[in-house]
Amino acid sequence: MKALQRVLIMAEMHGRDLTRRHVALGLLVALPLSFYLASSRDNTQALSAGGIGMAFAVSGATLFSVLSSQNVDQRLILGGYRPVDLLIGRLLFLGPLGLVIAAGFSVLMSVISHPARPWVLLLGVALVALQSVPFGLAVGSALSRELEGTLVLIGVVGMQLAVGPDAAIAKFLPFYGPRRLIEGASQQQAAILGPVVQTVLYGLVLLVVARLFMNRRIAVQRHPFIDPTGDPQDNNASPARADGSN
């Protein structure tokens, strides 16, 4: 099976899985929407609350997608898939899904809040969506339970919303770059290139982290052959990793 075909099958599989969880997706989208509407009196604060809060929706959907397919992933690896096929397949579906949600949020916030530069708001919210996918992949690959993963999402996104943009810790959080863009949408002049580059670099690091944790999560153990006569063979066999390395 060609690599492109494997990736497309993965994207379709995750699409089918998430569309069956429409109630959970609806609640994930409603959460950041409530953040925005509750803060709508202060334009800058409302834009940050809605835009950054949207990370709950996209990263939450990504987390559920990863954790719901843990048992399937190992069977796919045994069937000839590579870990990178699983990773790219998820990106291929979740990235466009996040951009669709981001477009809806951006239009709504532009109509209600009237930012000075709506296109900067759209860019910032789109980067939140795209950054949320590798963030959710990294958390889902590192943790094996939905409760723990959800708590990490709440902790990181909540901290991003709680701390001021000038706080030292804010610069190390995954949505610092997009937040600068979202807040800059209310101003006539604000940096664009710096936050975009920072977001891209942070996203690449998150993808590397997700890839490393995938190796551990979908490792396939090679068991020694048991001779019917009672003499075990290949007792020194080493565990085989899911990516084919020994």
Side-chain angles (χ1 to χ4, degrees):
M1 186 183 299
K2 296 181 179 180
L4 179 59
Q5 186 178 2
R6 293 195 297 264
V7 168
L8 292 176
I9 291 174
M10 281 297 303
E12 180 185 4
M13 182 182 73
H14 287 291
R16 290 176 181 273
D17 178 60
L18 281 178
T19 51
R20 289 196 296 264
R21 309 181 73 162
H22 52 275
V23 175
L25 286 176
L27 292 173
L28 286 172
V29 173
L31 184 61
L33 180 60
S34 65
F35 289 169
Y36 169 70
L37 295 176
S39 308
S40 57
R41 292 183 180 179
D42 182 346
N43 274 0
T44 302
Q45 181 62 29
L47 293 176
S48 296
I52 301 301
M54 197 198 64
F56 278 120
V58 182
S59 61
T62 304
L63 176 69
F64 295 154
S65 175
V66 172
L67 296 183
S68 65
S69 60
Q70 290 185 95
N71 295 329
V72 177
D73 285 351
Q74 284 198 346
R75 293 198 293 269
L76 290 173
I77 293 297
L78 290 172
Y81 280 70
R82 299 172 301 170
V84 70
D85 296 331
L86 310 184
L87 192 63
I88 296 176
R90 291 187 175 106
L91 289 172
L92 190 62
F93 173 76
L94 293 164
L97 174 64
L99 290 177
V100 170
I101 297 174
F105 264 81
S106 299
V107 170
L108 176 65
M109 291 191 293
S110 296
V111 170
I112 296 177
S113 297
H114 305 288
R117 296 187 293 173
W119 68 271
V120 177
L121 174 65
L122 175 60
L123 176 60
V125 177
L127 287 180
V128 170
L130 294 177
Q131 187 80 305
S132 298
V133 177
F135 175 54
L137 289 174
V139 174
S141 299
L143 302 173
S144 59
R145 297 178 184 273
E146 288 188 355
L147 176 59
E148 287 83 347
T150 303
L151 290 175
V152 171
L153 299 187
I154 292 173
V156 173
V157 179
M159 186 179 298
Q160 187 84 70
L161 288 169
V163 301
D166 297 328
I169 192 174
K171 298 177 175 61
F172 298 96
L173 296 174
F175 304 103
Y176 176 69
R179 180 175 181 175
R180 291 173 60 193
L181 288 173
I182 293 171
E183 293 180 349
S186 299
Q187 308 167 9
Q188 293 296 337
Q189 296 291 333
I192 301 295
L193 182 60
V196 171
V197 172
Q198 181 182 22
T199 303
V200 171
L201 294 177
Y202 207 123
L204 292 175
V205 171
L206 288 172
L207 285 176
V208 171
V209 171
R211 176 66 177 84
L212 293 175
F213 276 109
M214 280 182 69
N215 279 352
R216 185 192 66 178
R217 188 171 61 86
I218 59 178
V220 178
Q221 183 76 25
R222 180 184 298 167
H223 296 284
F225 173 74
I226 304 298
D227 193 319
T229 62
D231 297 328
Q233 302 293 324
D234 196 20
N235 287 330
N236 294 324
S238 58
R241 304 296 296 179
D243 59 359
S245 59
N246 292 322

